Amino acid sequence: MHIFLVRHGESLANIGENYEKRLPDHLVSLSEKGLKQAEKQGEWLASYCKSNGIDLSKARIWRSPYQRTRQTSEQFNKFLKIEDIKEDITLIEQQFGLFDSIPKSEWGDKCEMEFDEYLRQVQNQGKFYARLPLGESPFDVAIRIHQFMGTIHRDYEKAGVDTLFIFTHGTTLRTFLMRWFHYSPEWYQAEKNPKNCWIREIIDDKDLGYINKDV
């Protein structure tokens, strides 16, 4: 199976413009820079696929139903021209609960007791297992990503869909890698979040890493 994992382009939340509006996370859109990033990377990826003889006739796009991942996939698909597009809720971003749309520097001020408990969990269990108040831990995200993997394996067995472009979010992308390759929680702890529009390539059991960081 040939998989390209793509983190969404720069969003308004990434540049702090959602702290005042406090839109629900699923409605946060790309910035102007994010749209340009996605277009540039989409053109690059289409050229990469062509030069490497990758057949896109049976390829499928999977994406998180969040606004910023939809927009990112649309910009990429100007060049990939893939007709088979599906969404799955298991690909959404980690749920931040009470801390959603609040700068990390203000978590302790706005939710003092909850933040103290979260820090206690981080210290005792590690960040991978620590659950955000009314939200998720990376462990929780890894569990739902495992469910999504069952879907793509069934699609491969029943319909031969073996080339996938998955548009998702930073934590979700890393937990996908973790589950696919059976990496450890320690690996996740050490793995840095990919930058916007970075592309990670997987061929069967080989992790080829991020293939274009020029964004």
Side-chain angles (χ1 to χ4, degrees):
M1 195 175 294
H2 203 158
I3 300 174
F4 295 91
L5 298 172
V6 185
R7 188 189 174 199
H8 61 79
E10 180 188 84
S11 72
L12 296 179
N14 293 146
I15 57 177
E17 290 193 12
N18 195 43
Y19 292 145
E20 290 187 8
K21 296 179 181 179
R22 296 205 66 185
L23 288 173
D25 198 23
H26 70 281
L27 295 180
V28 173
S29 62
L30 294 182
S31 66
E32 285 300 317
K33 179 181 176 181
L35 288 167
K36 291 177 182 177
Q37 284 176 331
E39 184 175 36
K40 177 183 177 182
Q41 286 289 75
E43 185 175 15
W44 180 90
L45 185 56
S47 176
Y48 177 86
C49 290
K50 184 177 181 180
S51 63
N52 285 278
I54 300 171
D55 181 11
L56 301 185
S57 63
K58 291 187 177 180
R60 174 175 292 170
I61 285 177
W62 280 102
R63 66 189 185 188
S64 153
Y66 279 22
Q67 176 73 354
R68 55 192 181 273
T69 39
R70 285 174 172 170
Q71 289 177 309
T72 302
S73 70
E74 288 163 3
Q75 293 293 95
F76 270 72
N77 211 29
K78 288 179 181 179
F79 306 95
L80 295 172
K81 302 185 184 304
I82 296 169
E83 296 182 1
D84 187 356
I85 302 172
K86 294 185 180 295
E87 296 184 347
D88 196 290
I89 57 171
T90 61
L91 293 172
I92 65 173
E93 175 63 293
Q94 178 183 3
Q95 300 296 284
F96 286 86
L98 290 180
F99 298 157
D100 187 35
S101 300
I102 300 175
K104 283 187 178 181
S105 60
E106 297 179 14
W107 287 3
D109 295 330
K110 294 186 180 296
C111 309
E112 183 177 358
M113 292 180 61
E114 293 84 357
F115 183 59
D116 287 346
E117 174 59 22
Y118 173 66
L119 289 181
R120 186 188 70 81
Q121 289 188 37
V122 170
Q123 292 167 357
N124 290 343
Q125 304 178 57
K127 191 174 181 180
F128 179 74
Y129 297 105
R131 182 173 288 129
L132 294 165
L134 300 182
E136 293 180 301
S137 64
F139 170 80
D140 295 320
V141 180
I143 295 298
R144 57 175 161 86
I145 277 296
H146 188 66
Q147 296 175 324
F148 172 71
M149 288 179 177
T151 298
I152 62 177
H153 282 302
R154 286 189 295 273
D155 287 347
Y156 172 72
E157 292 168 0
K158 293 179 180 179
V161 181
D162 64 352
T163 303
L164 306 175
F165 296 81
I166 301 174
F167 294 85
T168 187
H169 309 263
T171 298
T172 316
L173 190 155
R174 286 180 289 157
T175 55
F176 185 101
L177 290 165
M178 180 185 173
R179 295 307 301 261
W180 189 268
F181 294 107
H182 304 287
Y183 292 148
S184 68
E186 289 76 19
W187 175 89
Y188 178 90
Q189 293 281 115
E191 179 73 2
K192 293 182 179 179
N193 210 31
K195 293 185 178 180
N196 297 114
C197 273
W198 277 16
I199 304 164
R200 189 106 173 201
E201 185 176 10
I202 297 169
I203 300 178
D204 296 326
D205 60 351
K206 295 179 181 179
D207 182 358
L208 302 185
Y210 295 105
I211 56 175
N212 186 13
K213 299 180 181 180
D214 183 22
V215 183

